[in-house]
Amino acid sequence: MDSTPHVLLVNDDGPPSALYQALIELGWRVRVVLPSSQKSWSGTNYTVHNEQIRYWYYYPLKDNWDGSHPGTLQCWSNTRRPIDTARGEIAEWILVDGTPSTCTNIGLFTSNALLETPDAPPVSLVVSGPNFGRNTGTAFSVSSGTLGAALAGSLCDVRGIAISYGHFTSSPPTLDGRKDAPPLSAEERTEAHALACKHTVSIIVQLWDRWPHDAKVQTYSINVPLCERLRAPRVCWTRVWESRHVQQYVLPNEPHDNDAQRVRPLGVSPHPVQHAEHGSYLDFRPNLARAMRPVGDEPLEEGTDAWAMCEGYIGISRLVASFEQVDGAGVAPPTCST
């Protein structure tokens, strides 16, 4: 395996300047194709509306984590232009009106033409993320645009790594094991993000180097908890916890049981409801109770990705892009009448 991979970096919720810069500093070749707007919860969906996909060129600024830097609109262009280093621009990326999986496919097969680099080597690794939100358990993982983009690469025979940063709205894991710690302050969040990026890059390098010995793996899913424990991190292999979804769409302004468990997911912004002449609307306010933890007092099973997140450990799951079949040996199939 080439010791220096050619990386396609994709995401579902923002230009990942910090991760991009860290990979470039390794001496790795990196190209970036991103959705032009928020595309969380899109799974492995491909964008096919109108059979055409609009794209732009984007010129990111140094140390710009989320694309919200003043003057960001100057970074967009309908056509290619020189990189303006005087403004702090560091690269040329492609933005696509599509899902993360769409970006993966365009990055693998079309980006050479869009960037006029016909002699560039083929992409050997898709890195998807970092997603700002955990992707632990089957409910989150199957719904995740971040994980979907990495799996879309593996379905094209290109290995993938999905990266997710888990936030804690209360009681984040601490070095001393406290169970009542307050949420991180702004300064602590900044430190946690920097540590998460540092540890993530180190893990990506190690996973790439050992991949020939882990050849059955098509995609790694990394979940990094944003908490104090990143100062002395523990990394462990995990399996995906079998979580479930419950009700995700509710009538506007209607009270519900367990309303405290209903959240507006990170990256999904409220929009004023535009009532059409025909049709009514539901709010996307999922109840995440069964996606986050077992119901009741049942503990999380040790060794699962959700358990690692709650303990403050960095969890890595080995995945393949395949629906698991249930062995039906000894069970007769249904019959049809004649």
Side-chain angles (χ1 to χ4, degrees):
M1 181 183 296
D2 185 355
S3 59
T4 305
H6 186 202
V7 176
L8 170 64
L9 184 58
V10 296
N11 204 333
D12 68 352
D13 53 11
S17 291
L19 181 59
Y20 170 82
Q21 290 169 215
L23 294 174
I24 288 293
E25 289 170 2
L26 292 175
W28 288 12
R29 299 180 295 265
V30 184
R31 68 178 49 193
V32 181
V33 182
L34 301 173
S36 58
S37 61
Q38 176 62 241
K39 291 294 186 295
S40 293
W41 290 68
S42 56
T44 54
N45 176 42
Y46 289 90
T47 303
V48 296
H49 59 78
N50 298 326
E51 298 182 353
Q52 292 183 322
I53 304 296
R54 188 175 181 183
Y55 67 90
W56 293 265
Y57 296 94
Y58 185 81
Y59 299 87
L61 303 178
K62 182 177 174 60
D63 299 326
N64 185 9
W65 285 77
D66 60 2
S68 61
H69 189 282
T72 294
L73 288 180
Q74 299 178 41
C75 296
W76 292 62
S77 177
N78 289 322
T79 58
R80 296 189 67 207
R81 64 165 175 78
I83 296 171
D84 188 349
T85 56
R87 289 191 67 244
E89 295 175 359
I90 58 174
E92 182 179 48
W93 297 351
I94 298 170
L95 299 187
V96 176
D97 263 359
T99 62
S101 292
T102 303
C103 292
T104 295
N105 196 270
I106 290 172
L108 293 179
F109 298 107
T110 315
S111 59
N112 275 353
L114 298 181
L115 295 172
E116 300 178 11
T117 55
D119 298 326
V123 171
S124 50
L125 177 65
V126 174
V127 175
S128 180
N131 173 69
F132 292 97
R134 69 181 66 186
N135 278 312
T136 58
T138 50
F140 284 139
S141 296
V142 171
S143 305
S144 167
T146 302
L147 196 49
L151 292 171
S154 69
L155 287 171
C156 297
D157 296 320
V158 179
R159 293 177 171 94
I161 297 177
I163 305 153
S164 305
Y165 293 167
H167 294 259
F168 298 86
T169 57
S170 62
S171 304
T174 61
L175 289 170
D176 60 7
R178 290 176 55 194
K179 299 300 183 182
D180 58 350
L184 298 182
S185 65
E187 294 78 10
E188 289 170 332
R189 286 197 302 272
T190 298
E191 177 193 14
H193 279 101
L195 288 172
C197 184
K198 173 185 174 183
H199 299 324
T200 296
V201 171
S202 175
I203 290 170
I204 290 174
V205 171
Q206 293 176 68
L207 292 177
W208 175 256
D209 288 342
R210 70 188 299 168
W211 221 313
H213 307 289
D214 215 355
K216 292 184 179 180
V217 177
Q218 296 175 350
T219 298
Y220 289 105
S221 176
I222 306 173
N223 277 281
V224 183
L226 296 179
C227 64
E228 184 182 85
R229 285 200 166 182
L230 288 182
R231 296 174 184 171
R234 172 182 168 183
V235 184
C236 55
W237 294 119
T238 55
R239 59 187 180 279
V240 180
W241 172 55
E242 294 187 11
S243 58
R244 293 292 183 269
H245 280 313
V246 287
Q247 184 183 17
Q248 298 190 52
Y249 300 90
V250 298
L251 291 169
N253 305 318
E254 181 181 342
H256 300 275
D257 294 336
N258 279 329
D259 201 57
Q261 295 289 347
R262 297 191 181 278
V263 301
R264 190 170 299 282
L266 194 67
V268 178
S269 301
H271 297 284
V273 174
Q274 303 295 327
H275 291 286
E277 182 178 351
H278 302 287
S280 301
Y281 295 84
L282 295 170
D283 287 341
F284 180 53
R285 291 184 59 213
N287 183 334
L288 300 180
R290 293 190 67 192
M292 300 284 286
R293 297 187 62 88
V295 176
D297 297 329
E298 181 184 353
L300 278 166
E301 187 179 354
E302 185 172 341
T304 61
D305 52 3
W307 163 83
M309 176 64 63
C310 289
E311 293 294 320
Y313 305 149
I314 299 174
I316 308 173
S317 298
R318 304 176 177 95
L319 303 175
V320 294
S322 174
F323 285 104
E324 182 180 359
Q325 297 182 120
V326 177
D327 186 3
V331 179
T335 61
C336 296
S337 60
T338 58

